[in-house]
Structure formats: C-alpha cells, structure tokens
Amino acid sequence: MARIVGGLATSHIPSIGVAIAKGLQQEPYWRPFFDGFPPARAWLERQKPDLAVVIYNDHGLNFFLDKLPTFAVGAAAEYRHADEGWGLPISRPFAGDTDFSWHVIENLVADEFDVTTCQEMLVDHAFTIPMSLFWPGGGAWPVRTLPIAVNTVQHPLPSPERCFKLGQALGRAIRSYDSDEKVVVIGTGGLSHQLDGPRAGFINKEFDLMCLGALPHEPELLTDYSTLDLVELAGAQGVELINWLAMRGALGADVYEIHRNYHIPISNTATGLMVLESA
Ligand code: DHB
Ligand code: FE
C-alpha cells in the first residue's frame, strides 16, 4: 500500500516567486525566509516521495466567487499555472496521476466528503510557490501531484475541525492505495495575515507561535477554533491555516517534528514553515 512519509507546510506569498526569479534569496530582506528551506529539502532528499498531495486555496485563478467549491480535487493528467497578475513567472506544468486521483476521490466520497472533481484545473501561486520552494532548480518536477483546493475565500468556509477531518479521510484514502509509492502531503498558506479592510497588515505572532507549537502533537487545540475565531486571531487571510490542519489530519496521530521556521514579515504575511515526519 502507498505510504505517507510525512507532511510539509509553508506560506505561499506571490512575491516569493518574484524573489526566486530575480535570485534575491540571499538579500537581507529574503534571507531569513529562504534560509528556512534547506532542512526541508534535505528531508525530501532522504524521503524521495513519488507523489505530492498539495492542499491549498485558489485565489481566483481557477475558481471565482460565482462558483466556489468547498473542497475540489484534481483528476487531471497535468496541471498548469497561468498569469494571475502578480508579475510572477509562469511555472512549468505539473504532472498529475489520474489513477491516484480517482482512488482518492472515490474514497473521500465514500467517507462522506462530497468533493468537486476537476478534470481540468489551473493551479495558482498557492500551489506553485510551495512546489518551487521545496523542489527548486528547474527541470522536471520529481513528483507527480494531486491538488486539493479548499475554499478560504468566500464564507461560509469549512471549519478547522472539518478540514482536519478531511485530512484524516485523505490519509485513509492514501494508505489504501494499492501501490508501493511514497506520498508527501503539503499544506500551504498562512500564517497570520490580512490583505484588505481596516485591519490590513494585521499579524499575530503570539497566535502563530501557539499554532506552530500545537500542530505537531496537539492539533485538536486548533480544531476547537471556529472559522470566525481564526479570522479574528489570524486575520481574514490567516484562515489559510485550515490547509495546514488538513495536511496534519492526513498524517495520523504520531509524528516527529523535523524542522520549523517562522519569520515576519514577507509582504503582509507572517511566514511559517514546518516539516513533520510520519511516526
Ligand atoms: C500575500 C499573501 C497571500 O497568502 C496571498 O495569497 C497573496 C498575497 C501577501 O502577503 O502579499
Ligand atoms: Fe494566500
């Protein structure tokens, strides 16, 4: 059966893609952020996953406010990026795996998660930036991918608890896939940030550090928050933390924390990075 080697989580700010394209990783502004990544890449180099499930939120490239699924799962042979208007370069395409996708979809639906299935799907910066951070350097991507888009944009959003349970169902689906492949689960977004309204620029370091502390071994502390609690404590876009919770749910009860990094700010966002290995 397929095996989940662990989980990764990172922020996904568009300007990171611009910094990569311009080679600014060692500039004073960017260094504390990019210097977090070598341990994550070294862990990936040791684990060598075949497949990456990327739990992220679409920001208007593939879905818009007129039609916005709560949970959408890719079922395409290939996923492409496109111009989002942020000035970041267009990523090279990502291979999908339709057998794996349909296995996960069938199991999620059997587990009462009635997801939207996407046989065509554009992936935005929330998918492409983490992929570039974890596997830099160009060339073919070393993993096939399965995108799962969670609505963090238009309320009502799925609750933190619901997203954690989605992750648990995803974990069961992956572990029942008849293959000897290794899977890494990635959650993207957060940590605290708010891009609009009177609280634009809002960051909550204390709450972020509590979340980073709880995620590995006490994730249920985070699933007790309501969506509106998260808006208040992490900012309107800080709710992207629910993607991290879905990732954590997929890993099962016991994990080893391999690495974390926290740096404020990149653009308007408090950035977080976490590497968890399945026990
Ligand atoms: C920023 C952060 C995000 O999560 C995002 O999707 C877009 C922009 C920012 O801080 O600039
Ligand atoms: Fe975002």
Side-chain angles (χ1 to χ4, degrees):
M1 292 297 162
R3 184 163 67 85
I4 299 175
V5 293
L8 302 166
T10 176
S11 308
H12 62 216
I13 303 143
S15 58
I16 298 166
V18 178
I20 293 172
K22 292 186 176 165
L24 304 179
Q25 290 93 329
Q26 290 308 312
E27 296 286 314
Y29 178 83
W30 289 102
R31 198 183 170 136
F33 172 76
F34 281 101
D35 275 2
F37 283 85
R41 293 177 198 138
W43 179 81
L44 281 168
E45 195 46 49
R46 289 197 298 277
Q47 299 295 335
K48 293 198 176 16
D50 305 289
L51 286 155
V53 178
V54 184
I55 305 167
Y56 72 108
N57 56 293
D58 183 86
H59 300 69
L61 180 70
N62 192 70
F63 303 114
F64 202 59
L65 302 180
D66 57 336
K67 299 181 200 72
L68 195 39
T70 302
F71 299 122
V73 183
E78 183 180 85
Y79 304 96
R80 286 181 176 270
H81 184 208
D83 185 13
E84 304 174 57
W86 294 104
L88 65 164
I90 307 296
S91 281
R92 56 202 190 281
F94 302 85
D97 181 330
T98 52
D99 280 347
F100 179 60
S101 281
W102 286 111
H103 171 83
V104 167
I105 289 165
E106 281 177 15
N107 281 270
L108 288 177
V109 173
D111 232 338
E112 301 183 356
F113 283 92
D114 304 317
V115 299
T116 300
T117 54
C118 302
Q119 297 187 64
E120 285 183 2
M121 194 174 192
L122 292 174
V123 287
D124 79 355
H125 67 272
F127 182 101
T128 65
I129 300 275
M131 290 293 293
S132 307
L133 286 167
F134 291 129
W135 290 282
W141 298 103
V143 284
R144 282 165 282 129
T145 59
L146 169 52
I148 300 186
V150 175
N151 170 27
T152 72
V153 172
Q154 177 154 273
H155 291 257
L157 312 183
S159 70
E161 185 174 16
R162 183 77 175 141
C163 292
F164 188 72
K165 286 181 175 165
L166 172 78
Q168 290 178 314
L170 171 67
R172 287 190 288 275
I174 295 169
R175 284 187 282 268
S176 69
Y177 186 53
D178 190 5
S179 140
D180 58 6
E181 289 174 305
K182 293 182 281 186
V183 182
V184 63
V185 183
I186 302 175
T188 92
L191 291 170
S192 61
H193 65 298
Q194 172 139 348
L195 302 178
D196 50 11
R199 289 209 309 164
F202 174 80
I203 278 177
N204 186 345
K205 181 175 178 181
E206 195 185 334
F207 183 71
D208 290 338
L209 294 181
M210 186 281 293
C211 291
L212 287 171
L215 195 76
H217 306 299
E218 298 176 295
E220 59 287 346
L221 291 181
L222 307 180
T223 56
D224 283 347
Y225 289 99
S226 72
T227 303
L228 291 183
D229 289 336
L230 283 194
V231 171
E232 191 178 332
L233 290 163
Q237 281 70 43
V239 296
E240 291 171 347
L241 181 71
I242 59 181
N243 301 329
W244 290 46
L245 276 170
M247 174 279 284
R248 178 65 191 85
L251 304 187
D254 295 325
V255 296
Y256 304 111
E257 181 179 337
I258 303 295
H259 176 63
R260 77 167 83 164
N261 191 42
Y262 181 74
H263 172 66
I264 302 172
I266 292 296
S267 186
N268 294 296
T269 299
T271 65
L273 165 66
M274 186 158 268
V275 182
L276 300 174
E277 184 170 320
S278 300

